[in-house]
Amino acid sequence: MGFFKRIRAGLKKTGDVLNTDIRDLFKSEGRLIDEEFLEEVRGILFRTDMGYDSTEALVDEIGKKLRGRVVQLEEVVEVLKAKLKELMQQPEAPVEFAQSGPTVVMVCGVNGAGKTTSIAKLASQFKGEGRRVLLGAGDTFRAAAVEQLTVWADRLGVGIITAPPKTHPATVGYQTVERALAEGADVAIVDTAGRLQTQSDLMAELTKIRGALNKALPGAPHEVLLVLDATTGQNGISQATKFAEAAGCTGIVLAKLDGTAKGGVVVSIRQQLGLPVKYVGLGEGHDDLAPFKPDEFVDALFADVLKAPA
């Protein structure tokens, strides 16, 4: 199944909000674009968690292009889609691989965001591309996390570096990169313990892990991916801001997008953080992770809005 079909299925809950609510604004003879209409659209977009700035940009665009006219649903949707695609533009490549030696990917996020599963999905994808993958179980303070990642490594047939409980995660990161260099691995993915963005000591630890990776291989980590739970909506933005500062995040993995009606948070992340959304999680399986394609995301978001009602 291609990205469009998968993201369309994953965005079903968000699309249902848009489909029902935007359609309800129109009658067969069309609708006058006035302040009342713009305010109603504003409310609908907020309900998908697009955030204030993104919502205002979209509403302003409708007003600029269509104010004072009686229009049909299709015209409003086309304006929304064109502006959203403009807002969502980002570099195409989801991961910048190192020109030589292993590409080191550090992964961070809050507890319960879907970090371990996302790492497994990344490993599966990289292996499917023919790359040799090594995992580093850096969440040494939670035995269950190491066990879970080890199970995934065995299932996927990739290597893993573990350490005794409470070993400093920077040590695990260093050892993982060291082993990746020795064994000629193409990608080393280093897990970190889940933490709240308010825990300043644990956030500072992320900086130390980055330092250890760079010591083992100058230029590493090449990517620092922040896993966000899409179901948290706007709360994910505050998480991302703090993590971006502490860990130098280069992109977002948006997990559990299929389980929320707040899929508009993708737009808010792009606008408020400027970080690219590199991957989106669309299910529980190890292959349910897709490189993010902004234009197809927008098309899928509104696909059912333009379908004739049954």
Side-chain angles (χ1 to χ4, degrees):
M1 191 185 297
F3 178 78
F4 177 79
K5 288 184 178 179
R6 295 178 73 188
I7 195 72
R8 182 175 177 178
L11 286 169
K12 184 178 187 310
K13 292 185 179 180
T14 304
D16 285 348
V17 172
L18 291 171
N19 182 21
T20 302
D21 292 359
I22 290 183
R23 276 192 168 281
D24 285 349
L25 298 181
F26 286 85
K27 298 175 182 177
S28 59
E29 65 271 20
R31 178 72 187 267
L32 175 66
I33 305 302
D34 55 11
E35 282 304 318
E36 180 185 356
F37 177 86
L38 295 176
E39 189 58 37
E40 289 173 334
V41 171
R42 183 178 281 111
I44 293 167
L45 296 176
F46 270 130
R47 283 196 287 280
T48 69
D49 240 28
M50 284 192 187
Y52 178 80
D53 290 344
S54 304
T55 296
E56 290 305 305
L58 291 165
V59 171
D60 287 350
E61 186 76 357
I62 295 172
K64 184 172 72 174
K65 295 282 179 67
L66 303 175
R67 188 189 297 272
R69 292 173 50 194
V70 175
V71 302
Q72 298 294 328
L73 168 68
E74 291 77 9
E75 293 175 84
V76 172
V77 170
E78 287 309 308
V79 171
L80 284 171
K81 286 173 62 176
K83 186 62 177 179
L84 267 174
K85 288 178 180 180
E86 179 188 319
L87 294 175
M88 295 291 290
Q89 284 308 301
Q90 64 179 43
E92 285 188 19
V95 169
E96 293 292 332
F97 290 100
Q99 291 185 346
S100 62
T103 297
V104 180
V105 180
M106 175 176 156
V107 182
C108 56
V110 302
N111 291 313
K115 189 162 49 64
T116 305
T117 307
S118 295
I119 289 171
K121 291 176 179 179
L122 283 170
S124 176
Q125 187 157 120
F126 293 148
K127 186 180 180 186
E129 294 167 355
R131 303 180 195 276
R132 188 174 179 188
V133 180
L134 181 66
L135 304 182
D139 189 351
T140 56
F141 293 91
R142 206 165 57 89
V146 176
E147 291 170 8
Q148 186 183 5
L149 201 61
T150 301
V151 168
W152 273 116
D154 291 343
R155 190 178 299 170
L156 296 171
V158 302
I160 185 168
I161 301 298
T162 61
K166 302 197 178 171
T167 300
H168 198 288
T171 301
V172 178
Y174 186 91
Q175 292 173 348
T176 302
V177 176
E178 203 172 39
R179 180 73 66 83
L181 284 164
E183 296 183 352
D186 299 303
V187 183
I189 307 175
V190 180
D191 188 16
T192 60
R195 65 202 72 213
L196 294 174
Q197 69 271 22
T198 53
Q199 295 172 304
S200 56
D201 54 335
L202 291 179
M203 295 302 286
E205 184 181 82
L206 292 174
T207 306
K208 293 179 182 177
I209 298 170
R210 277 183 60 92
L213 298 176
N214 188 64
K215 185 175 180 181
L217 177 63
H222 304 94
E223 295 279 1
V224 181
L225 301 181
L226 171 61
V227 178
L228 288 180
D229 179 347
T231 64
T232 63
Q234 287 296 306
N235 289 334
I237 304 296
S238 63
Q239 292 173 16
T241 303
K242 297 295 185 183
F243 274 96
E245 292 170 359
C249 295
T250 57
I252 303 290
V253 176
L254 195 62
K256 309 177 190 178
L257 187 60
D258 56 313
T260 181
K262 299 179 178 181
V265 73
V266 181
V267 186
S268 194
I269 287 169
R270 287 290 297 124
Q271 289 305 290
Q272 293 190 44
L273 297 173
L275 286 175
V277 178
K278 300 212 170 195
Y279 293 93
V280 287
L282 300 170
E284 293 299 319
H286 64 80
D287 58 348
D288 289 327
L289 188 76
F292 185 67
K293 299 178 181 179
D295 285 2
E296 291 189 33
F297 170 84
V298 174
D299 289 339
L301 193 61
F302 289 95
D304 290 326
V305 178
L306 294 177
K307 277 175 58 179

